[in-house]
Amino acid sequence: MRRLKKVPVKKIGIIERYEEFLPVSKKTPIISLNEGNTPLILSEALGTLMGVKNLRIYFKFEGLNPTGSFKDRGMTMAVSKALEEGATAIMCASTGNTSASAAAYASRCKMKCYVLIPEGKIAKGKLLQAFRYGAQVIIVKGNFDKALELVKTITATHPIQIVNSVNPFRIEGQKTAAFEICDDLGDAPDYHIIPVGNAGNITAYWKGYKEYRKHGLSKKLPKMIGFQAAGAAPIVLNHVVEYPETIATAIRIGNPASWQGAIEARDESGGLIDSVTDDEISWAYRFLAEREGVFSEPASAATVAGLIKLAKKKYFKPKTKIVCTLTGSGLKDPEFGLSFNDRIEAVEPTMKSVLNLIEAGKS
Ligand code: F0G
């Protein structure tokens, strides 16, 4: 019998993989959970749905990072650099994912982690993560923007390192997702679609694409296309939204810290930033899970909602490649996921009752 060949599997984090592009040195203690290297999944159903066959649409599924969101790319950098600089505590404001990620990386190097969370507006899975990774969770009566203001003030006057994306190391780490996409496709895509909340990620991707091209590792630059939720769309409206509202709690932000970075990404790339409604987001969220087998959170689905909106207007040139970043895992938000009238009551354990339900489900 032929012996099966053993394939060595070594999963490394983004700092080791892309260290020549990152502000690290031999002295930097690398705090990693082997983040990054997430799959670029080719869409099966979207092209048919939109009646366009000649677009190649990919999902960069960041929900498969160690804590279930893209934040891990930035956090491995922010926490490693904080440790290198001698910090013993970190702090962030968060709609949930940043806090989960900060708490996880802090726990690996015995750092204290403080997270400020807007009351009532965080997905349960994210809150669960922050607690269980051992952060001190402080819930504030106010929204994300208010919490971030507080964090900025406190960290400016106390020996605590801020790990929101105003910390430039966060952007450095997050730009590696653009590198991975270029490595996988052999070049940058024609369009890159991404949800926009605090606007750090669109800023980071654009930086990543530009750097890769500058080093001759890709030839093209994509048009950067951002989507905000209609009730939390300050960049689209061109003014601060004092009371942002959306079911996509991750992007419920009215005054993004990296506003300028998002504008630059949009304008330098010749892209756009637009909004999608909560209904469009909900529909795309279900479509992604039910037809593509990719379960991402509502904020992530804003990309696909936006893609459909633009495709209806015939925005995309034929024969082009589109990448949609799906920023976080659907498992983060079980409450939203179970809000769709699914039948969850038990039936009698008989053939009849089970077959009755199957029959009823056909109609
Ligand atoms: N998608 C998800 C799942 C997010 O958690 C966030 C941001 C975004 C998109 C938007 O990214 O802020 O870089 O424009 N979440 C932050 C947090 C605000 O606190 O977890 P952005």
Side-chain angles (χ1 to χ4, degrees):
M1 198 178 86
R2 206 162 66 88
R3 288 190 60 194
L4 292 174
K5 200 171 74 186
K6 257 198 169 168
V7 183
V9 178
K10 186 168 181 256
K11 182 134 174 18
I12 56 170
I14 58 118
I15 298 182
E16 284 176 280
R17 182 167 177 192
Y18 293 112
E19 67 182 329
E20 67 268 44
F21 299 95
L22 295 169
V24 289
S25 70
K26 294 261 175 309
K27 289 199 316 263
T28 313
I30 299 175
I31 306 301
S32 169
L33 283 161
N34 298 1
E35 57 293 313
N37 194 16
T38 53
L40 194 61
I41 303 169
L42 185 62
S43 164
E44 284 290 338
L46 266 176
T48 318
L49 170 84
M50 299 185 306
V52 282
K53 294 212 170 49
N54 47 13
L55 293 177
R56 281 180 90 74
I57 303 162
Y58 298 87
F59 307 119
K60 177 67 171 161
F61 191 25
E62 291 288 277
L64 294 178
N65 273 299
T67 76
S69 87
F70 70 96
K71 304 287 180 178
D72 295 343
R73 295 178 183 275
M75 211 51 79
T76 181
M77 271 301 296
V79 172
S80 298
K81 293 302 284 186
L83 191 63
E84 182 179 350
E85 287 157 17
T88 55
I90 59 172
M91 188 178 211
C92 64
S94 181
T95 56
N97 281 324
T98 301
S99 57
S101 189
Y105 284 81
S107 78
R108 287 180 76 77
C109 56
K110 295 208 192 90
M111 265 196 208
K112 193 88 192 112
C113 177
Y114 306 101
V115 304
L116 264 65
I117 303 291
E119 184 184 29
K121 298 292 178 186
I122 172 174
K124 278 273 155 54
K126 303 175 186 179
L127 192 60
L128 166 69
Q129 287 179 295
F131 277 121
R132 293 288 66 82
Y133 287 130
Q136 181 166 353
V137 178
I138 300 162
I139 298 173
V140 295
K141 293 182 178 164
N143 61 27
F144 169 86
D145 305 292
K146 181 73 207 159
L148 181 57
E149 244 175 69
L150 279 165
V151 168
K152 282 183 184 165
T153 314
I154 293 168
T155 53
T157 50
H158 293 75
I160 307 174
Q161 182 65 253
I162 188 169
V163 292
N164 280 104
S165 56
V166 293
N167 176 330
F169 297 123
R170 280 276 313 277
I171 304 291
E172 290 297 314
Q174 284 173 208
K175 76 185 179 189
T176 60
F179 298 167
E180 287 178 14
I181 291 167
C182 295
D183 288 345
D184 283 352
L185 295 179
D187 201 349
D190 301 288
Y191 305 91
H192 188 111
I193 312 186
I194 188 165
V196 176
N198 212 25
N201 214 24
I202 190 171
T203 305
Y205 269 90
W206 182 234
K207 187 167 197 286
Y209 281 125
K210 284 194 297 188
E211 283 181 16
Y212 235 42
R213 196 180 68 151
K214 195 169 133 214
H215 285 88
L217 293 162
S218 56
K219 291 188 221 58
K220 294 190 276 201
L221 287 173
K223 289 190 189 304
M224 297 299 298
I225 301 172
F227 278 96
Q228 302 198 290
I235 299 176
V236 181
L237 299 170
N238 201 23
H239 62 74
V240 170
V241 174
E242 205 175 338
Y243 300 106
E245 269 315 332
T246 167
I247 50 124
T249 52
I251 51 173
R252 185 174 168 272
I253 293 174
N255 188 11
S258 299
W259 194 318
Q260 196 48 38
I263 298 286
E264 278 167 25
R266 179 193 69 189
D267 295 348
E268 288 175 19
S269 74
L272 59 89
I273 297 180
D274 195 359
S275 64
V276 279
T277 65
D278 280 1
D279 282 350
E280 289 169 323
I281 293 173
S282 294
W283 191 91
Y285 164 85
R286 292 190 63 173
F287 182 88
L288 271 166
E290 293 172 17
R291 297 294 311 285
E292 299 280 5
V294 180
F295 191 28
S296 65
E297 61 176 289
S300 312
T303 54
V304 170
L307 170 75
I308 294 169
K309 181 175 175 180
L310 292 181
K312 280 185 186 153
K313 295 181 184 165
K314 308 229 178 304
Y315 172 82
F316 300 106
K317 293 209 183 77
K319 296 202 177 116
T320 49
K321 285 184 185 158
I322 306 173
V323 171
C324 298
T325 299
L326 301 181
T327 42
S329 164
L331 294 173
K332 297 258 188 184
D333 197 346
E335 285 181 310
F336 179 75
L338 286 172
S339 65
F340 291 93
N341 295 325
D342 300 293
R343 186 195 163 100
I344 52 172
E345 302 81 34
V347 293
E348 290 306 315
T350 61
M351 283 273 283
K352 187 164 179 278
S353 49
V354 173
L355 290 176
N356 274 349
L357 278 188
I358 291 175
E359 204 47 47
K362 285 183 186 161
S363 57

